Amino acid sequence: MTVIRKPLLSCLTVAVAALLPFIAPHRTAHAEAYIDTSLTALADFSLEDLMQVEVYSASKQVETVFTAASAIYVITGEDIHKSGVTSLPEALRLAPGVQVSKIDGNKWAISIRGFAGRFANKLLVLQDGRTIYNPLFSGVYWNAQEIMLEDIEQIEVIRGPAATLWGVNAVNGVINIITKHAKDTQGGVITASGGTSERGASGVRYGGKIGDAGYLRVYGKYFYRDVQVPVDSPAVTDALWNDWRGGFRSDWALSSKNSITFQGDLYESRVANALYGGGNLLGRWNSTLSETSTLSLQLYYDRTSVKQKDHPELRDYEIRDTADVELQQTFALGNRQHLVWGTGFRLTSDQMNRDAAVSPTYIPTSRTDSLFTLFLHDKITLLPETLHLIVGSRAEHNDMTGWEIQPTARLLWTPHEKHTLWSAVSRAVRTPSRAETTISARVTDPDPAIGQPEVRLVGNSTLPSEKMIAYEAGYRYQPMPALSFDLALFYNDYSSLVGVVQGNPSGGSPPTLVPINVASTATAVGKGGELSVNWKALTWMDLALAYSYLDISVSSSSTLMSSDGSDFNRIVLSGDTSPRHQMSFISFLTLPHNMKCTFWLRYVDTLPALGVPDYVTLDTRIAWKPVPNLEFSLVGQNLLAPKHQEFGADMFGNSAGQTERSMYGKVAWLF
Amino acid sequence: MVVLNILMLILLAISPIAAVMIVPGSAAAASPPVTRAASYEVKAAFIYNFTKFVTWPSTSFVNAADPIKVCIMDNSALSEALEALAGKTSKGRHIKTLSYQNITEGDRCHLIFFGESVDTPLTKKILLAVGKSPVLTVGDSAAFVQQGGIIRFITSGNKLAFEINPATARRSGLEISSKMLSLAKIVGELP
């Protein structure tokens, strides 16, 4: 009985505490006035009083995460370092509500609030303002994004639609990777690591100063990793994932009000014969126009390519060039309105597989698409410091579906400095991908001997965009600086989801060709929530807990059974490929003798559509710094079982692998 | 079943947090008007205040009339703000502000402030030069304390707070009052 009562009691107290902000009196209208204090008066303040003074920086309106009107979580570079993860996708597990399912050694299914798959298509992913999802399938080649983790300043993860501010594809969320300012990476770092799955890795970075106001860093990185053991075969393959990349970032302060950034990367990632390569160059100019206004102009060029090493014209062949320009301005209108507006233009041009005998092909084999965008976002103060209304909309023109409008309205209430409540209604769309509109892929080979027709997946050039209306609400509570709670709830209403329908067989009787056509076939409702708790329990102990719940139901107007009895649409629509429950508990410990220790426990529920069982796993890291510029660390990953499966095979013939228990050691030297 | 077990575990783990939550804190108290000021002015006031709570060894001063020399490594408005406080005294001594342009070899700073405009190599170089001599080093950058600085300003919400590495202070022969330590976030080695 006592076992039951304790959690029950905590449940009750949590519930009561959740009601507190509604009972507690909030800041009254007359108390909102600010007292602007003079310097001489400040000098007579005690330390305690000084700690209660609200500070503002002269030029920037700082919107902290605590008072943001969306479900945002920030993974810091420090968190990534202390967690012991070795790749970008694994680092995303640190944020609540993000599903990171490893398909095999170098492929991941990553999504937020459902619809996971290797080609999960409802996320916008950016690195330093450059879009890194691929318009071929509106997803990300995660294996081609293995940037130097030591250079990451932070990763902002927004759950829910953020299309108004961020643009195309930001339907279920945004992942925004921000690297460090070159000023913060002065000096050198050399890292070397090796282990059981993480066979060998090495990274070098050096940062220096150019002139009085310029900073530069260059980096290079190489690693090779195991490719995982397939689920249905015990065979150990010798295949390795080889990956190298190099790049630079340079930041210059032209004056106190103007700064520019140049950066670029070059990379190649190879598993067996598949080569993923590319490079990019980006320039950004930031200007402070006045105390309340900033302007930024950004230009970038990006090339990605996918090739087969020995057969350059074969399957999966793709070369893509993208050029993008964006202008953005923030300014205040009177005392109560803070506006952001922006405009942008993007051209993306591709060359696909030209050999018609090889599947898949795309018609036409080469295409250029343009995207024009314009947005306005206004934060209106209804009651100073207490109540804000945010309205905004983005208008976008693309070559496939024409104009798309993505508006949002958000209400932000900060009744007390320790409480924030927000709610939002937004519309977001996902425009059809290049593949969905133009693919022609053989699903089943014909066999005239037994009268089996060819089954072919055919793209649909008149496909409308997928649409979503999202209703969200959130609450943050920070009872003391060391403890914070963040709860977000959502109800997502999707329509025109893309699935497949069977077309008319052709070629007489029996037919020789059965087309499967891409079409809008489904609607869906996704609902759930995420809770995260961050607690600096002791000066040497940081704890973070995250729990997310997700319930998705897809109603499809078409069912299409494959030969093995599974419904194609169920897989294509990815309705059931996400766990209902996900939990993560991480504890960072600072120990005596310059040692640090991390324990990270995760639970992921079953994936019903893929027959993947639930799993619990544990990562640990222990690090020792004998001197301040040298760190040794030992990391154990997925320790609770010899191996476990995280995702299933997909219709594109990607079979799933098993994630094995692994260990690696690492040395990092700063100079 | 696994879910249930884990839920129970987590609920147990957060029960102390829940207890903390229901303690009636300032949430129920009426809020006074909010005092605000520019960040650099508040930092100047903090620095002035620090000099009252830190005891330098007597050998740091030439005589009883020797001022507390505050050296500002920053090109910001903070130097001017501190200069405006030059008439004030701390523990009977005047405060003398030196901005980085006019620090000479012979100057012995009692306190050095490293602003955001000071880059990492320069910070490291100065901290190395300071070594274990009795100089109170105060900085802004994220890794300041790890690099060997004593006090770092941290922003919590819209307010300023500070962290102290008492071990570094002790090694430098500086005595920081327990009152000031109690208000700070303590970092570094465990006592």
Side-chain angles (χ1 to χ4, degrees), chain A residues 104-107 143 225 227 239-242 269-276 308:
Chain A
D104 67 15
N106 74 333
K107 297 183 195 74
N143 57 321
R225 289 185 192 143
V227 172
L240 288 173
W241 170 15
N242 281 277
S269 172
R270 184 166 78 87
V271 174
N273 279 331
L275 269 175
Y276 293 78
Q308 297 290 318

Side-chain angles (χ1 to χ4, degrees), chain A residues 27 217 264 381 390 425 432 437 462 494 561 615 627 636 640:
Chain A
R27 200 178 282 166
R217 73 158 170 265
T381 304
I390 295 157
V425 183
T437 49
T462 60
Y494 301 87
M561 292 302 167
Y615 66 89
V627 286
L640 296 188

Side-chain angles (χ1 to χ4, degrees), chain A residues 555-578:
Chain A
S555 335
S556 178
S557 60
S558 144
T559 53
L560 189 63
M561 292 302 167
S562 72
S563 52
D564 65 356
S566 60
D567 181 1
F568 262 138
N569 269 319
R570 206 172 171 204
I571 308 292
V572 174
L573 291 161
S574 320
D576 292 337
T577 56
S578 292

Side-chain angles (χ1 to χ4, degrees), chain A residues 80-81 84-86 148-150 189-195 201-203 621-624 630-635 664-669:
Chain A
I80 294 171
H81 178 71
V85 297
T86 54
M148 186 133 172
L149 295 182
E150 284 81 2
V189 184
I190 293 179
T191 65
S193 54
S202 167
R621 174 181 186 264
I622 185 148
W624 178 47
L630 188 63
E631 185 183 61
F632 295 97
S633 54
L634 192 64
V635 178
Y664 75 87
K666 182 173 176 178
V667 186
W669 179 44

Side-chain angles (χ1 to χ4, degrees), chain A residues 381-446:
Chain A
T381 304
L382 300 177
L383 292 170
E385 298 303 311
T386 308
L387 193 61
H388 298 274
L389 173 69
I390 295 157
V391 287
S393 187
R394 173 177 290 255
E396 244 168 15
H397 185 274
N398 70 77
D399 292 346
M400 279 179 251
T401 62
W403 285 99
E404 298 285 359
I405 305 291
Q406 307 189 77
T408 187
R410 290 166 189 273
L411 202 60
L412 175 67
W413 184 38
T414 315
H416 185 274
E417 62 185 9
K418 291 177 174 168
H419 305 278
T420 297
L421 284 125
W422 61 270
S423 62
V425 183
S426 323
R427 178 183 193 265
V429 303
R430 183 184 69 81
T431 51
S433 66
R434 168 84 152 105
E436 284 164 338
T437 49
T438 63
I439 199 169
S440 174
R442 183 175 287 175
V443 180
T444 311
D445 287 331

Side-chain angles (χ1 to χ4, degrees), chain A residues 613-627:
Chain A
D614 59 350
Y615 66 89
V616 181
T617 187
L618 175 78
D619 286 6
T620 63
R621 174 181 186 264
I622 185 148
W624 178 47
K625 270 189 174 180
V627 286

Side-chain angles (χ1 to χ4, degrees), chain A residues 596-614:
Chain A
K596 278 185 179 169
C597 191
T598 302
F599 291 95
W600 189 8
L601 193 68
R602 292 195 312 274
Y603 168 76
V604 179
D605 205 358
T606 54
L607 308 181
L610 302 169
V612 177
D614 59 350

